[in-house]
PDB file of all heavy atoms in Angstrom:
ATOM      1  N   PHE A   1     109.341 183.785 152.692  1.00 88.00           N
ATOM      2  CA  PHE A   1     109.834 183.228 151.438  1.00 88.00           C
ATOM      3  C   PHE A   1     111.331 182.950 151.549  1.00 88.00           C
ATOM      4  O   PHE A   1     112.071 183.696 152.206  1.00 88.00           O
ATOM      5  CB  PHE A   1     109.594 184.194 150.280  1.00 88.00           C
ATOM      6  CG  PHE A   1     108.215 184.109 149.694  1.00 88.00           C
ATOM      7  CD1 PHE A   1     107.437 185.253 149.533  1.00 88.00           C
ATOM      8  CD2 PHE A   1     107.689 182.892 149.295  1.00 88.00           C
ATOM      9  CE1 PHE A   1     106.168 185.174 148.996  1.00 88.00           C
ATOM     10  CE2 PHE A   1     106.410 182.814 148.758  1.00 88.00           C
ATOM     11  CZ  PHE A   1     105.654 183.951 148.617  1.00 88.00           C
ATOM     12  N   PRO A   2     111.801 181.896 150.903  1.00 90.00           N
ATOM     13  CA  PRO A   2     113.233 181.581 150.982  1.00 90.00           C
ATOM     14  C   PRO A   2     114.070 182.584 150.204  1.00 90.00           C
ATOM     15  O   PRO A   2     113.583 183.270 149.314  1.00 90.00           O
ATOM     16  CB  PRO A   2     113.310 180.190 150.342  1.00 90.00           C
ATOM     17  CG  PRO A   2     112.144 180.154 149.394  1.00 90.00           C
ATOM     18  CD  PRO A   2     111.068 180.937 150.065  1.00 90.00           C
ATOM     19  N   THR A   3     115.348 182.673 150.554  1.00 91.00           N
ATOM     20  CA  THR A   3     116.271 183.472 149.755  1.00 91.00           C
ATOM     21  C   THR A   3     116.547 182.742 148.449  1.00 91.00           C
ATOM     22  O   THR A   3     116.297 181.548 148.314  1.00 91.00           O
ATOM     23  CB  THR A   3     117.596 183.693 150.515  1.00 91.00           C
ATOM     24  OG1 THR A   3     118.150 182.399 150.839  1.00 91.00           O
ATOM     25  CG2 THR A   3     117.362 184.474 151.793  1.00 91.00           C
ATOM     26  N   GLY A   4     117.088 183.470 147.482  1.00 93.00           N
ATOM     27  CA  GLY A   4     117.359 182.873 146.182  1.00 93.00           C
ATOM     28  C   GLY A   4     116.075 182.677 145.402  1.00 93.00           C
ATOM     29  O   GLY A   4     115.144 183.483 145.478  1.00 93.00           O
ATOM     30  N   CYS A   5     115.998 181.600 144.642  1.00 94.00           N
ATOM     31  CA  CYS A   5     114.810 181.289 143.856  1.00 94.00           C
ATOM     32  C   CYS A   5     113.638 180.982 144.792  1.00 94.00           C
ATOM     33  O   CYS A   5     113.789 180.232 145.758  1.00 94.00           O
ATOM     34  CB  CYS A   5     115.085 180.095 142.939  1.00 94.00           C
ATOM     35  SG  CYS A   5     113.637 179.550 142.007  1.00 94.00           S
ATOM     36  N   LYS A   6     112.474 181.546 144.499  1.00 93.00           N
ATOM     37  CA  LYS A   6     111.308 181.337 145.359  1.00 93.00           C
ATOM     38  C   LYS A   6     110.821 179.892 145.325  1.00 93.00           C
ATOM     39  O   LYS A   6     110.120 179.446 146.239  1.00 93.00           O
ATOM     40  CB  LYS A   6     110.172 182.265 144.903  1.00 93.00           C
ATOM     41  CG  LYS A   6     110.460 183.748 145.094  1.00 93.00           C
ATOM     42  CD  LYS A   6     110.523 184.126 146.561  1.00 93.00           C
ATOM     43  CE  LYS A   6     110.641 185.635 146.755  1.00 93.00           C
ATOM     44  NZ  LYS A   6     111.938 186.159 146.304  1.00 93.00           N
ATOM     45  N   PHE A   7     111.197 179.142 144.301  1.00 94.00           N
ATOM     46  CA  PHE A   7     110.652 177.798 144.113  1.00 94.00           C
ATOM     47  C   PHE A   7     111.614 176.701 144.569  1.00 94.00           C
ATOM     48  O   PHE A   7     111.236 175.525 144.543  1.00 94.00           O
ATOM     49  CB  PHE A   7     110.291 177.604 142.634  1.00 94.00           C
ATOM     50  CG  PHE A   7     109.560 176.317 142.328  1.00 94.00           C
ATOM     51  CD1 PHE A   7     108.317 176.050 142.892  1.00 94.00           C
ATOM     52  CD2 PHE A   7     110.105 175.381 141.470  1.00 94.00           C
ATOM     53  CE1 PHE A   7     107.648 174.873 142.613  1.00 94.00           C
ATOM     54  CE2 PHE A   7     109.437 174.202 141.181  1.00 94.00           C
ATOM     55  CZ  PHE A   7     108.201 173.942 141.754  1.00 94.00           C
ATOM     56  N   TRP A   8     112.799 177.035 145.043  1.00 93.00           N
ATOM     57  CA  TRP A   8     113.806 175.987 145.241  1.00 93.00           C
ATOM     58  C   TRP A   8     113.417 174.975 146.311  1.00 93.00           C
ATOM     59  O   TRP A   8     113.831 173.807 146.249  1.00 93.00           O
ATOM     60  CB  TRP A   8     115.179 176.582 145.542  1.00 93.00           C
ATOM     61  CG  TRP A   8     115.405 177.129 146.933  1.00 93.00           C
ATOM     62  CD1 TRP A   8     115.349 178.424 147.319  1.00 93.00           C
ATOM     63  CD2 TRP A   8     115.758 176.384 148.107  1.00 93.00           C
ATOM     64  NE1 TRP A   8     115.634 178.553 148.662  1.00 93.00           N
ATOM     65  CE2 TRP A   8     115.881 177.313 149.163  1.00 93.00           C
ATOM     66  CE3 TRP A   8     115.979 175.031 148.369  1.00 93.00           C
ATOM     67  CZ2 TRP A   8     116.216 176.937 150.465  1.00 93.00           C
ATOM     68  CZ3 TRP A   8     116.312 174.652 149.673  1.00 93.00           C
ATOM     69  CH2 TRP A   8     116.424 175.592 150.705  1.00 93.00           C
ATOM     70  N   THR A   9     112.577 175.356 147.287  1.00 92.00           N
ATOM     71  CA  THR A   9     112.191 174.409 148.339  1.00 92.00           C
ATOM     72  C   THR A   9     111.316 173.281 147.808  1.00 92.00           C
ATOM     73  O   THR A   9     111.139 172.267 148.492  1.00 92.00           O
ATOM     74  CB  THR A   9     111.430 175.142 149.454  1.00 92.00           C
ATOM     75  OG1 THR A   9     110.273 175.797 148.909  1.00 92.00           O
ATOM     76  CG2 THR A   9     112.320 176.190 150.125  1.00 92.00           C
ATOM     77  N   ARG A  10     110.795 173.414 146.591  1.00 92.00           N
ATOM     78  CA  ARG A  10     109.922 172.393 146.015  1.00 92.00           C
ATOM     79  C   ARG A  10     110.442 171.885 144.669  1.00 92.00           C
ATOM     80  O   ARG A  10     109.767 171.094 144.011  1.00 92.00           O
ATOM     81  CB  ARG A  10     108.517 172.967 145.833  1.00 92.00           C
ATOM     82  CG  ARG A  10     107.936 173.576 147.080  1.00 92.00           C
ATOM     83  CD  ARG A  10     106.616 174.257 146.806  1.00 92.00           C
ATOM     84  NE  ARG A  10     105.562 173.308 146.510  1.00 92.00           N
ATOM     85  CZ  ARG A  10     104.370 173.641 146.044  1.00 92.00           C
ATOM     86  NH1 ARG A  10     104.087 174.911 145.789  1.00 92.00           N
ATOM     87  NH2 ARG A  10     103.466 172.716 145.799  1.00 92.00           N
ATOM     88  N   CYS A  11     111.588 172.353 144.254  1.00 92.00           N
ATOM     89  CA  CYS A  11     112.060 172.097 142.893  1.00 92.00           C
ATOM     90  C   CYS A  11     112.935 170.844 142.813  1.00 92.00           C
ATOM     91  O   CYS A  11     113.886 170.687 143.595  1.00 92.00           O
ATOM     92  CB  CYS A  11     112.862 173.308 142.401  1.00 92.00           C
ATOM     93  SG  CYS A  11     113.455 173.117 140.698  1.00 92.00           S
ATOM     94  N   PRO A  12     112.675 169.946 141.858  1.00 89.00           N
ATOM     95  CA  PRO A  12     113.500 168.740 141.708  1.00 89.00           C
ATOM     96  C   PRO A  12     114.882 169.031 141.130  1.00 89.00           C
ATOM     97  O   PRO A  12     115.758 168.166 141.187  1.00 89.00           O
ATOM     98  CB  PRO A  12     112.670 167.876 140.750  1.00 89.00           C
ATOM     99  CG  PRO A  12     111.882 168.858 139.948  1.00 89.00           C
ATOM    100  CD  PRO A  12     111.559 169.972 140.891  1.00 89.00           C
ATOM    101  N   LEU A  13     115.107 170.219 140.570  1.00 89.00           N
ATOM    102  CA  LEU A  13     116.388 170.551 139.949  1.00 89.00           C
ATOM    103  C   LEU A  13     117.288 171.394 140.850  1.00 89.00           C
ATOM    104  O   LEU A  13     118.369 171.798 140.431  1.00 89.00           O
ATOM    105  CB  LEU A  13     116.150 171.329 138.646  1.00 89.00           C
ATOM    106  CG  LEU A  13     115.292 170.655 137.584  1.00 89.00           C
ATOM    107  CD1 LEU A  13     115.119 171.585 136.390  1.00 89.00           C
ATOM    108  CD2 LEU A  13     115.881 169.330 137.146  1.00 89.00           C
ATOM    109  N   LYS A  14     116.891 171.653 142.071  1.00 89.00           N
ATOM    110  CA  LYS A  14     117.586 172.622 142.909  1.00 89.00           C
ATOM    111  C   LYS A  14     119.035 172.230 143.155  1.00 89.00           C
ATOM    112  O   LYS A  14     119.374 171.060 143.326  1.00 89.00           O
ATOM    113  CB  LYS A  14     116.878 172.806 144.247  1.00 89.00           C
ATOM    114  CG  LYS A  14     116.844 171.581 145.147  1.00 89.00           C
ATOM    115  CD  LYS A  14     116.143 171.916 146.460  1.00 89.00           C
ATOM    116  CE  LYS A  14     116.096 170.715 147.392  1.00 89.00           C
ATOM    117  NZ  LYS A  14     115.193 169.669 146.899  1.00 89.00           N
ATOM    118  N   GLN A  15     119.879 173.271 143.137  1.00 91.00           N
ATOM    119  CA  GLN A  15     121.278 173.157 143.515  1.00 91.00           C
ATOM    120  C   GLN A  15     121.620 174.327 144.418  1.00 91.00           C
ATOM    121  O   GLN A  15     120.784 175.195 144.688  1.00 91.00           O
ATOM    122  CB  GLN A  15     122.166 173.126 142.269  1.00 91.00           C
ATOM    123  CG  GLN A  15     121.929 171.893 141.390  1.00 91.00           C
ATOM    124  CD  GLN A  15     122.905 171.804 140.239  1.00 91.00           C
ATOM    125  OE1 GLN A  15     123.974 172.406 140.270  1.00 91.00           O
ATOM    126  NE2 GLN A  15     122.533 171.046 139.219  1.00 91.00           N
ATOM    127  N   GLU A  16     122.855 174.392 144.867  1.00 92.00           N
ATOM    128  CA  GLU A  16     123.227 175.400 145.851  1.00 92.00           C
ATOM    129  C   GLU A  16     122.989 176.813 145.347  1.00 92.00           C
ATOM    130  O   GLU A  16     122.573 177.697 146.100  1.00 92.00           O
ATOM    131  CB  GLU A  16     124.696 175.233 146.250  1.00 92.00           C
ATOM    132  CG  GLU A  16     125.111 176.164 147.382  1.00 92.00           C
ATOM    133  CD  GLU A  16     126.537 175.909 147.839  1.00 92.00           C
ATOM    134  OE1 GLU A  16     127.164 174.963 147.339  1.00 92.00           O
ATOM    135  OE2 GLU A  16     127.007 176.675 148.698  1.00 92.00           O
ATOM    136  N   VAL A  17     123.252 177.048 144.050  1.00 93.00           N
ATOM    137  CA  VAL A  17     123.073 178.390 143.515  1.00 93.00           C
ATOM    138  C   VAL A  17     121.620 178.849 143.664  1.00 93.00           C
ATOM    139  O   VAL A  17     121.344 180.046 143.851  1.00 93.00           O
ATOM    140  CB  VAL A  17     123.513 178.449 142.043  1.00 93.00           C
ATOM    141  CG1 VAL A  17     122.622 177.569 141.156  1.00 93.00           C
ATOM    142  CG2 VAL A  17     123.508 179.878 141.524  1.00 93.00           C
ATOM    143  N   CYS A  18     120.663 177.928 143.600  1.00 93.00           N
ATOM    144  CA  CYS A  18     119.247 178.279 143.699  1.00 93.00           C
ATOM    145  C   CYS A  18     118.907 178.845 145.076  1.00 93.00           C
ATOM    146  O   CYS A  18     118.022 179.696 145.196  1.00 93.00           O
ATOM    147  CB  CYS A  18     118.381 177.060 143.425  1.00 93.00           C
ATOM    148  SG  CYS A  18     118.710 176.245 141.846  1.00 93.00           S
ATOM    149  N   THR A  19     119.605 178.373 146.105  1.00 93.00           N
ATOM    150  CA  THR A  19     119.297 178.820 147.461  1.00 93.00           C
ATOM    151  C   THR A  19     119.898 180.177 147.782  1.00 93.00           C
ATOM    152  O   THR A  19     119.541 180.772 148.800  1.00 93.00           O
ATOM    153  CB  THR A  19     119.818 177.796 148.477  1.00 93.00           C
ATOM    154  OG1 THR A  19     121.257 177.773 148.431  1.00 93.00           O
ATOM    155  CG2 THR A  19     119.301 176.401 148.167  1.00 93.00           C
ATOM    156  N   GLN A  20     120.782 180.669 146.913  1.00 93.00           N
ATOM    157  CA  GLN A  20     121.496 181.908 147.218  1.00 93.00           C
ATOM    158  C   GLN A  20     121.217 183.032 146.237  1.00 93.00           C
ATOM    159  O   GLN A  20     121.197 184.206 146.621  1.00 93.00           O
ATOM    160  CB  GLN A  20     123.007 181.622 147.249  1.00 93.00           C
ATOM    161  CG  GLN A  20     123.413 180.603 148.306  1.00 93.00           C
ATOM    162  CD  GLN A  20     124.878 180.233 148.196  1.00 93.00           C
ATOM    163  OE1 GLN A  20     125.597 180.723 147.331  1.00 93.00           O
ATOM    164  NE2 GLN A  20     125.337 179.355 149.078  1.00 93.00           N
ATOM    165  N   VAL A  21     121.013 182.705 144.975  1.00 94.00           N
ATOM    166  CA  VAL A  21     120.880 183.728 143.929  1.00 94.00           C
ATOM    167  C   VAL A  21     119.538 183.560 143.235  1.00 94.00           C
ATOM    168  O   VAL A  21     119.220 182.471 142.726  1.00 94.00           O
ATOM    169  CB  VAL A  21     122.019 183.616 142.891  1.00 94.00           C
ATOM    170  CG1 VAL A  21     121.854 184.689 141.820  1.00 94.00           C
ATOM    171  CG2 VAL A  21     123.376 183.716 143.567  1.00 94.00           C
ATOM    172  N   GLU A  22     118.768 184.630 143.211  1.00 93.00           N
ATOM    173  CA  GLU A  22     117.497 184.572 142.493  1.00 93.00           C
ATOM    174  C   GLU A  22     117.734 184.787 141.000  1.00 93.00           C
ATOM    175  O   GLU A  22     118.360 185.778 140.613  1.00 93.00           O
ATOM    176  CB  GLU A  22     116.524 185.630 143.017  1.00 93.00           C
ATOM    177  CG  GLU A  22     115.154 185.520 142.369  1.00 93.00           C
ATOM    178  CD  GLU A  22     114.110 186.324 143.112  1.00 93.00           C
ATOM    179  OE1 GLU A  22     114.437 187.420 143.589  1.00 93.00           O
ATOM    180  OE2 GLU A  22     112.970 185.845 143.211  1.00 93.00           O
ATOM    181  N   PRO A  23     117.236 183.890 140.157  1.00 94.00           N
ATOM    182  CA  PRO A  23     117.450 184.057 138.712  1.00 94.00           C
ATOM    183  C   PRO A  23     116.629 185.209 138.148  1.00 94.00           C
ATOM    184  O   PRO A  23     115.593 185.584 138.706  1.00 94.00           O
ATOM    185  CB  PRO A  23     116.991 182.714 138.129  1.00 94.00           C
ATOM    186  CG  PRO A  23     116.023 182.179 139.130  1.00 94.00           C
ATOM    187  CD  PRO A  23     116.492 182.655 140.476  1.00 94.00           C
ATOM    188  N   GLU A  24     117.096 185.751 137.038  1.00 94.00           N
ATOM    189  CA  GLU A  24     116.374 186.813 136.344  1.00 94.00           C
ATOM    190  C   GLU A  24     115.377 186.198 135.352  1.00 94.00           C
ATOM    191  O   GLU A  24     115.537 185.050 134.913  1.00 94.00           O
ATOM    192  CB  GLU A  24     117.353 187.711 135.587  1.00 94.00           C
ATOM    193  CG  GLU A  24     118.343 188.457 136.474  1.00 94.00           C
ATOM    194  CD  GLU A  24     117.668 189.504 137.326  1.00 94.00           C
ATOM    195  OE1 GLU A  24     116.660 190.083 136.866  1.00 94.00           O
ATOM    196  OE2 GLU A  24     118.138 189.737 138.453  1.00 94.00           O
ATOM    197  N   LEU A  25     114.375 186.976 135.023  1.00 94.00           N
ATOM    198  CA  LEU A  25     113.422 186.565 133.980  1.00 94.00           C
ATOM    199  C   LEU A  25     114.040 186.940 132.634  1.00 94.00           C
ATOM    200  O   LEU A  25     114.148 188.119 132.298  1.00 94.00           O
ATOM    201  CB  LEU A  25     112.086 187.277 134.179  1.00 94.00           C
ATOM    202  CG  LEU A  25     110.945 186.880 133.234  1.00 94.00           C
ATOM    203  CD1 LEU A  25     110.513 185.435 133.478  1.00 94.00           C
ATOM    204  CD2 LEU A  25     109.752 187.818 133.418  1.00 94.00           C
ATOM    205  N   VAL A  26     114.479 185.945 131.867  1.00 92.00           N
ATOM    206  CA  VAL A  26     115.194 186.204 130.618  1.00 92.00           C
ATOM    207  C   VAL A  26     114.462 185.559 129.448  1.00 92.00           C
ATOM    208  O   VAL A  26     113.701 184.594 129.605  1.00 92.00           O
ATOM    209  CB  VAL A  26     116.643 185.661 130.679  1.00 92.00           C
ATOM    210  CG1 VAL A  26     117.431 186.371 131.767  1.00 92.00           C
ATOM    211  CG2 VAL A  26     116.661 184.160 130.923  1.00 92.00           C
ATOM    212  N   GLU A  27     114.673 186.098 128.268  1.00 93.00           N
ATOM    213  CA  GLU A  27     114.036 185.591 127.054  1.00 93.00           C
ATOM    214  C   GLU A  27     114.836 184.403 126.525  1.00 93.00           C
ATOM    215  O   GLU A  27     115.981 184.539 126.106  1.00 93.00           O
ATOM    216  CB  GLU A  27     113.931 186.690 125.999  1.00 93.00           C
ATOM    217  CG  GLU A  27     113.079 186.296 124.809  1.00 93.00           C
ATOM    218  CD  GLU A  27     112.751 187.469 123.909  1.00 93.00           C
ATOM    219  OE1 GLU A  27     113.520 188.452 123.900  1.00 93.00           O
ATOM    220  OE2 GLU A  27     111.724 187.423 123.215  1.00 93.00           O
ATOM    221  N   ILE A  28     114.225 183.244 126.542  1.00 92.00           N
ATOM    222  CA  ILE A  28     114.884 182.015 126.104  1.00 92.00           C
ATOM    223  C   ILE A  28     114.715 181.822 124.598  1.00 92.00           C
ATOM    224  O   ILE A  28     115.639 181.406 123.897  1.00 92.00           O
ATOM    225  CB  ILE A  28     114.293 180.797 126.845  1.00 92.00           C
ATOM    226  CG1 ILE A  28     114.349 181.017 128.364  1.00 92.00           C
ATOM    227  CG2 ILE A  28     115.019 179.518 126.454  1.00 92.00           C
ATOM    228  CD1 ILE A  28     115.728 181.279 128.908  1.00 92.00           C
ATOM    229  N   ALA A  29     113.552 182.137 124.116  1.00 91.00           N
ATOM    230  CA  ALA A  29     113.218 182.085 122.688  1.00 91.00           C
ATOM    231  C   ALA A  29     112.315 183.279 122.420  1.00 91.00           C
ATOM    232  O   ALA A  29     111.814 183.891 123.361  1.00 91.00           O
ATOM    233  CB  ALA A  29     112.529 180.762 122.357  1.00 91.00           C
ATOM    234  N   PRO A  30     112.114 183.637 121.157  1.00 91.00           N
ATOM    235  CA  PRO A  30     111.276 184.806 120.867  1.00 91.00           C
ATOM    236  C   PRO A  30     109.916 184.732 121.563  1.00 91.00           C
ATOM    237  O   PRO A  30     109.132 183.798 121.332  1.00 91.00           O
ATOM    238  CB  PRO A  30     111.128 184.763 119.340  1.00 91.00           C
ATOM    239  CG  PRO A  30     112.379 184.106 118.878  1.00 91.00           C
ATOM    240  CD  PRO A  30     112.689 183.066 119.918  1.00 91.00           C
ATOM    241  N   GLY A  31     109.657 185.685 122.445  1.00 91.00           N
ATOM    242  CA  GLY A  31     108.391 185.747 123.149  1.00 91.00           C
ATOM    243  C   GLY A  31     108.251 184.791 124.312  1.00 91.00           C
ATOM    244  O   GLY A  31     107.211 184.762 124.967  1.00 91.00           O
ATOM    245  N   HIS A  32     109.283 183.994 124.596  1.00 95.00           N
ATOM    246  CA  HIS A  32     109.213 183.001 125.673  1.00 95.00           C
ATOM    247  C   HIS A  32     110.260 183.349 126.735  1.00 95.00           C
ATOM    248  O   HIS A  32     111.459 183.202 126.514  1.00 95.00           O
ATOM    249  CB  HIS A  32     109.459 181.598 125.108  1.00 95.00           C
ATOM    250  CG  HIS A  32     108.993 180.504 126.023  1.00 95.00           C
ATOM    251  ND1 HIS A  32     108.554 179.281 125.546  1.00 95.00           N
ATOM    252  CD2 HIS A  32     108.871 180.432 127.370  1.00 95.00           C
ATOM    253  CE1 HIS A  32     108.196 178.515 126.564  1.00 95.00           C
ATOM    254  NE2 HIS A  32     108.401 179.198 127.685  1.00 95.00           N
ATOM    255  N   HIS A  33     109.787 183.809 127.907  1.00 95.00           N
ATOM    256  CA  HIS A  33     110.663 184.220 129.006  1.00 95.00           C
ATOM    257  C   HIS A  33     110.551 183.231 130.153  1.00 95.00           C
ATOM    258  O   HIS A  33     109.482 182.691 130.422  1.00 95.00           O
ATOM    259  CB  HIS A  33     110.285 185.619 129.506  1.00 95.00           C
ATOM    260  CG  HIS A  33     110.463 186.706 128.485  1.00 95.00           C
ATOM    261  ND1 HIS A  33     109.604 186.858 127.405  1.00 95.00           N
ATOM    262  CD2 HIS A  33     111.386 187.698 128.392  1.00 95.00           C
ATOM    263  CE1 HIS A  33     109.992 187.905 126.686  1.00 95.00           C
ATOM    264  NE2 HIS A  33     111.065 188.425 127.262  1.00 95.00           N
ATOM    265  N   CYS A  34     111.670 183.024 130.856  1.00 96.00           N
ATOM    266  CA  CYS A  34     111.686 182.070 131.957  1.00 96.00           C
ATOM    267  C   CYS A  34     112.661 182.548 133.031  1.00 96.00           C
ATOM    268  O   CYS A  34     113.694 183.157 132.730  1.00 96.00           O
ATOM    269  CB  CYS A  34     112.072 180.676 131.453  1.00 96.00           C
ATOM    270  SG  CYS A  34     112.068 179.392 132.723  1.00 96.00           S
ATOM    271  N   ARG A  35     112.320 182.238 134.300  1.00 95.00           N
ATOM    272  CA  ARG A  35     113.161 182.604 135.444  1.00 95.00           C
ATOM    273  C   ARG A  35     113.707 181.314 136.066  1.00 95.00           C
ATOM    274  O   ARG A  35     113.101 180.730 136.972  1.00 95.00           O
ATOM    275  CB  ARG A  35     112.342 183.386 136.473  1.00 95.00           C
ATOM    276  CG  ARG A  35     113.148 183.980 137.622  1.00 95.00           C
ATOM    277  CD  ARG A  35     112.229 184.543 138.699  1.00 95.00           C
ATOM    278  NE  ARG A  35     111.377 185.603 138.208  1.00 95.00           N
ATOM    279  CZ  ARG A  35     111.729 186.891 138.139  1.00 95.00           C
ATOM    280  NH1 ARG A  35     112.933 187.260 138.557  1.00 95.00           N
ATOM    281  NH2 ARG A  35     110.888 187.800 137.678  1.00 95.00           N
ATOM    282  N   CYS A  36     114.843 180.840 135.550  1.00 94.00           N
ATOM    283  CA  CYS A  36     115.442 179.600 136.068  1.00 94.00           C
ATOM    284  C   CYS A  36     116.921 179.573 135.722  1.00 94.00           C
ATOM    285  O   CYS A  36     117.304 179.908 134.590  1.00 94.00           O
ATOM    286  CB  CYS A  36     114.730 178.382 135.484  1.00 94.00           C
ATOM    287  SG  CYS A  36     115.378 176.792 136.067  1.00 94.00           S
ATOM    288  N   HIS A  37     117.756 179.148 136.681  1.00 92.00           N
ATOM    289  CA  HIS A  37     119.204 179.069 136.426  1.00 92.00           C
ATOM    290  C   HIS A  37     119.551 178.026 135.380  1.00 92.00           C
ATOM    291  O   HIS A  37     120.614 178.107 134.747  1.00 92.00           O
ATOM    292  CB  HIS A  37     119.943 178.722 137.731  1.00 92.00           C
ATOM    293  CG  HIS A  37     119.956 179.825 138.733  1.00 92.00           C
ATOM    294  ND1 HIS A  37     120.547 181.050 138.490  1.00 92.00           N
ATOM    295  CD2 HIS A  37     119.436 179.891 139.990  1.00 92.00           C
ATOM    296  CE1 HIS A  37     120.405 181.830 139.565  1.00 92.00           C
ATOM    297  NE2 HIS A  37     119.739 181.147 140.481  1.00 92.00           N
ATOM    298  N   PHE A  38     118.693 177.031 135.178  1.00 89.00           N
ATOM    299  CA  PHE A  38     119.044 175.906 134.326  1.00 89.00           C
ATOM    300  C   PHE A  38     118.351 175.937 132.972  1.00 89.00           C
ATOM    301  O   PHE A  38     118.347 174.957 132.235  1.00 89.00           O
ATOM    302  CB  PHE A  38     118.722 174.594 135.053  1.00 89.00           C
ATOM    303  CG  PHE A  38     119.391 174.508 136.391  1.00 89.00           C
ATOM    304  CD1 PHE A  38     118.653 174.585 137.552  1.00 89.00           C
ATOM    305  CD2 PHE A  38     120.766 174.418 136.489  1.00 89.00           C
ATOM    306  CE1 PHE A  38     119.264 174.540 138.790  1.00 89.00           C
ATOM    307  CE2 PHE A  38     121.391 174.382 137.720  1.00 89.00           C
ATOM    308  CZ  PHE A  38     120.639 174.440 138.872  1.00 89.00           C
ATOM    309  N   VAL A  39     117.756 177.062 132.630  1.00 87.00           N
ATOM    310  CA  VAL A  39     117.181 177.253 131.306  1.00 87.00           C
ATOM    311  C   VAL A  39     117.884 178.451 130.693  1.00 87.00           C
ATOM    312  O   VAL A  39     117.699 179.581 131.118  1.00 87.00           O
ATOM    313  CB  VAL A  39     115.660 177.509 131.379  1.00 87.00           C
ATOM    314  CG1 VAL A  39     115.089 177.672 129.981  1.00 87.00           C
ATOM    315  CG2 VAL A  39     114.966 176.366 132.094  1.00 87.00           C
ATOM    316  N   LYS A  40     118.746 178.182 129.708  1.00 78.00           N
ATOM    317  CA  LYS A  40     119.585 179.224 129.124  1.00 78.00           C
ATOM    318  C   LYS A  40     119.220 179.466 127.658  1.00 78.00           C
ATOM    319  O   LYS A  40     118.886 178.524 126.937  1.00 78.00           O
ATOM    320  CB  LYS A  40     121.067 178.826 129.190  1.00 78.00           C
ATOM    321  CG  LYS A  40     121.549 178.472 130.600  1.00 78.00           C
ATOM    322  CD  LYS A  40     121.577 179.681 131.498  1.00 78.00           C
ATOM    323  CE  LYS A  40     122.180 179.334 132.855  1.00 78.00           C
ATOM    324  NZ  LYS A  40     122.173 180.487 133.776  1.00 78.00           N
ATOM    325  N   PRO A  41     119.331 180.716 127.196  1.00 76.00           N
ATOM    326  CA  PRO A  41     119.034 180.995 125.781  1.00 76.00           C
ATOM    327  C   PRO A  41     119.922 180.212 124.828  1.00 76.00           C
ATOM    328  O   PRO A  41     119.476 179.764 123.778  1.00 76.00           O
ATOM    329  CB  PRO A  41     119.284 182.499 125.660  1.00 76.00           C
ATOM    330  CG  PRO A  41     119.123 183.022 127.045  1.00 76.00           C
ATOM    331  CD  PRO A  41     119.599 181.937 127.957  1.00 76.00           C
ATOM    332  N   ASP A  42     121.189 180.009 125.192  1.00 60.00           N
ATOM    333  CA  ASP A  42     122.110 179.316 124.280  1.00 60.00           C
ATOM    334  C   ASP A  42     122.006 177.806 124.381  1.00 60.00           C
ATOM    335  O   ASP A  42     122.682 177.080 123.667  1.00 60.00           O
ATOM    336  CB  ASP A  42     123.551 179.756 124.558  1.00 60.00           C
ATOM    337  CG  ASP A  42     123.966 179.507 126.007  1.00 60.00           C
ATOM    338  OD1 ASP A  42     123.121 179.053 126.803  1.00 60.00           O
ATOM    339  OD2 ASP A  42     125.135 179.773 126.336  1.00 60.00           O
ATOM    340  N   ALA A  43     121.128 177.312 125.277  1.00 48.00           N
ATOM    341  CA  ALA A  43     120.999 175.870 125.449  1.00 48.00           C
ATOM    342  C   ALA A  43     119.712 175.320 124.839  1.00 48.00           C
ATOM    343  O   ALA A  43     119.409 174.155 124.972  1.00 48.00           O
ATOM    344  CB  ALA A  43     121.047 175.509 126.936  1.00 48.00           C
TER     345      ALA A  43
END
């Protein structure tokens, strides 16, 4: 498996941070959790 995000080798949104840092699973909206650098609760 690649370092960083497990999906970056196939992801259309990948950037350098994806290859180095694995994102956390965070709550974006009530009951909705996501593991992605580009999906933020405040966005």
Side-chain angles (χ1 to χ4, degrees):
F1 277 128
T3 57
C5 176
K6 294 292 187 291
F7 187 62
W8 76 261
T9 58
R10 307 174 70 190
C11 182
L13 303 178
K14 64 178 180 290
Q15 296 186 21
E16 186 175 356
V17 65
C18 305
T19 66
Q20 299 173 0
V21 180
E22 185 166 38
E24 297 292 328
L25 184 66
V26 297
E27 189 168 25
I28 306 303
H32 198 150
H33 297 73
C34 182
R35 188 189 299 274
C36 181
H37 289 298
F38 305 110
V39 181
K40 305 292 185 182
D42 57 357

